[in-house]
């Protein structure tokens, strides 16, 4: 959770639990279907990366998912969406219980996504950049037939390079603007954000995807910020030079991905708006959740197919959303 500190630039706490779940179990945690639970919030862009990658790769059965309530307090994410306010598998009311089960003195962020070992009830990792890479590279034995290659060997240097600047200036850049504690810090974050969005517009004007001709990890990471832009970042975080819908190339690119199975069908705009506007009380003390924006534009034709590209490469689209994981129809234009 972010917060404003008067007079200071926003700095993200990046002290994550970096234990990895791998095919060979070298960190003590071996990939095993059903052993772990992926805890997410559909409101959180970092968690949404894992939700999308899990769905694209067809890991729904191998890695079951728990969805936290979009609204939390200082005691962390809770399972208020579940009957009795408890996760039905882990049996806990708040995610912090799984963190404290690992380390009773844990003093870092209680963040999502988090992967919990069901056997012990302990968080294994909340290292969100590594989680999605490991889903691609370590969980291959459990990928669906036709799963795309989101982090192909030959493109990794380019993907890593794009991800680095997108994280710094866009993914985290909107937070640096929204939680800036001084006019100077805000102005610098604002400048870097829109300079980078202009750079991305130029890059994507002639290329359907960020790296290569297929969807990769880079597209997933950019999408989760873009899909929240008009709903929360433009107004709530004061990233208001233009709306996404006023940036033609990025708007078409985002719609293209949204309309691709595995992307838009994971997005819950109600959760997104309620989280940002109700949790960030230092930014929005009235707790009023905006009624807009109109979501129908997400389904408008995007024309990006004219640029070529093969969304899933040699693979295939994921199948229907599994029962129990669908976003409520009223929370998405896809409904």
């Amino acid at each position: 959770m972010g917060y404003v500190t008067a007079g200071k630039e926003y700095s993200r706490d990046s002290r994550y639990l970096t234990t990895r779940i791998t095919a060979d179990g070298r960190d003590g945690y071996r990939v095993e279907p059903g052993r772990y639970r992926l805890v997410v919030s559909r409101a959180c862009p970092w968690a949404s990366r894992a939700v999308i990658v899990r769905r694209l790769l067809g890991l729904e059965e191998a890695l079951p998912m728990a969805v936290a309530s979009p609204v939390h307090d200082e005691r962390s994410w809770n399972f208020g969406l579940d009957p009795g306010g408890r996760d039905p598998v882990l049996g806990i009311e708040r995610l912090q219980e799984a963190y404290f089960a690992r380390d009773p003195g844990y003093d870092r962020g209680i963040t999502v996504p988090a992967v919990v070992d069901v056997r012990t009830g302990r968080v294994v990792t909340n290292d969100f950049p590594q989680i999605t890479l490991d889903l691609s590279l370590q969980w291959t034995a459990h990928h669906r037939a036709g799963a795309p290659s989101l982090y192909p060997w030959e493109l990794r240097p380019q993907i890593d390079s794009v991800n680095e600047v997108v994280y710094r200036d866009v993914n985290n850049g909107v937070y640096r603007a929204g939680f800036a504690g001084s006019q100077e810090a805000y102005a610098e974050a604002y400048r870097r954000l829109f300079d980078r969005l202009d750079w991305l517009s130029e890059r994507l004007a002639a290329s359907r995807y960020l790296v290569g001709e297929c969807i990769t990890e880079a597209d997933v990471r950019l999408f989760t910020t873009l899909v929240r832009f008009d709903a929360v970042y433009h107004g709530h975080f004061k990233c208001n030079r233009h709306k996404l819908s006023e940036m033609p190339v990025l708007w078409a690119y985002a719609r293209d991905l949204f309309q691709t199975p595995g992307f838009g069908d994971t997005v819950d705009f109600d959760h997104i708006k309620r989280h940002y506007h109700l949790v960030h009380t230092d930014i929005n003390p009235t707790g009023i959740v905006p009624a807009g924006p109109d979501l129908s534009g997400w389904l408008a034709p995007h024309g990006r197919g004219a640029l070529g590209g093969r969304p899933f490469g040699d693979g295939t689209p994921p199948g229907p959303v599994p029962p129990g994981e669908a976003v409520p129809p009223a929370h998405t234009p896809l409904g």
Side-chain angles (χ1 to χ4, degrees):
M1 177 179 173
Y3 55 89
V4 176
T5 302
K8 293 187 177 181
E9 180 180 343
Y10 172 69
S11 178
R12 181 173 297 278
D13 183 354
S14 299
R15 299 173 298 153
Y16 299 110
L17 296 170
T18 57
T19 310
R20 292 176 62 193
I21 301 168
T22 58
D24 62 8
R26 57 184 177 269
D27 278 8
Y29 292 91
R30 186 182 301 275
V31 169
E32 297 178 37
R35 176 178 172 180
Y36 307 99
R37 193 152 176 80
L38 175 66
V39 181
V40 303
S41 165
R42 293 193 188 275
C44 171
W46 319 106
S48 291
R49 298 177 177 188
V51 178
I52 292 169
V53 170
R54 170 181 174 270
R55 173 144 163 68
L56 293 177
L57 299 178
L59 289 169
E60 291 96 338
E61 290 189 11
L63 182 60
M65 183 172 73
V67 179
S69 170
V71 181
H72 64 73
D73 57 24
E74 68 279 357
R75 293 175 294 169
S76 85
W77 301 94
N78 66 75
F79 296 101
L81 301 177
D82 293 300
R86 290 183 179 271
D87 179 78
V89 174
L90 300 174
I92 58 177
E93 293 182 347
R94 295 181 180 275
L95 182 56
Q96 67 178 7
E97 296 174 55
Y99 279 86
F100 293 152
R102 170 165 173 159
D103 177 5
Y106 186 82
D107 64 351
R108 290 172 268 173
I110 309 292
T111 63
V112 289
V115 183
V116 180
D117 182 3
V118 175
R119 296 176 185 173
T120 63
R122 299 171 181 172
V123 171
V124 178
T125 179
N126 64 340
D127 186 4
F128 69 88
Q130 191 63 49
I131 286 172
T132 49
L133 298 183
D134 283 344
L135 292 182
S136 282
L137 303 179
Q138 301 296 324
W139 289 72
T140 52
H142 307 288
H143 288 181
R144 65 178 175 86
S149 178
L150 300 176
Y151 195 53
W153 174 261
E154 68 278 8
L155 295 179
R156 287 180 200 173
Q158 295 180 58
I159 293 171
D160 291 345
S161 178
V162 169
N163 284 346
E164 180 180 359
V165 296
V166 167
Y167 171 78
R168 183 190 66 214
D169 298 337
V170 181
N171 300 145
N172 198 45
V174 292
Y175 284 85
R176 291 178 62 247
F179 292 114
S182 72
Q183 191 69 43
E184 293 75 18
Y186 164 74
E188 174 62 14
Y190 177 98
R191 180 191 64 78
R192 288 173 62 170
L193 167 64
F194 283 100
D195 283 353
R196 185 61 62 193
L197 291 177
D198 289 342
W199 177 82
L200 287 165
S201 290
E202 292 178 11
R203 184 183 184 97
L204 289 164
S207 176
R208 189 172 180 183
Y209 303 112
L210 275 173
V211 181
E213 65 173 359
C214 308
I215 291 167
T216 68
E217 175 82 14
D219 298 294
V220 174
R221 295 189 181 192
L222 178 58
F223 173 79
T224 59
T225 295
L226 294 184
V227 79
R228 288 162 172 77
F229 203 91
D230 287 4
V232 289
Y233 299 145
H234 178 270
H236 186 61
F237 277 179
K238 308 177 185 70
C239 300
N240 59 355
R241 191 192 75 178
H242 293 105
K243 296 177 181 177
L244 174 66
S245 57
E246 296 168 344
M247 294 181 274
V249 172
L250 289 178
W251 178 220
Y253 165 79
R255 296 201 313 279
D256 186 5
L257 291 176
F258 186 89
Q259 294 169 31
T260 299
F263 284 83
D265 53 27
T266 71
V267 177
D268 189 318
F269 284 103
D270 176 75
H271 281 204
I272 289 168
K273 292 198 300 181
R274 287 202 289 138
H275 171 74
Y276 283 88
H277 291 101
L278 294 177
V279 173
H280 301 157
T281 54
D282 47 352
I283 297 178
N284 186 36
T286 64
I288 295 172
V289 179
D294 178 5
L295 301 178
S296 61
W298 283 102
L299 302 183
H302 51 75
R304 298 282 293 176
L307 295 173
R310 301 179 300 142
F312 299 100
D314 295 329
T316 58
V321 177
E325 292 195 4
V327 175
H331 298 183
T332 171
L334 295 171

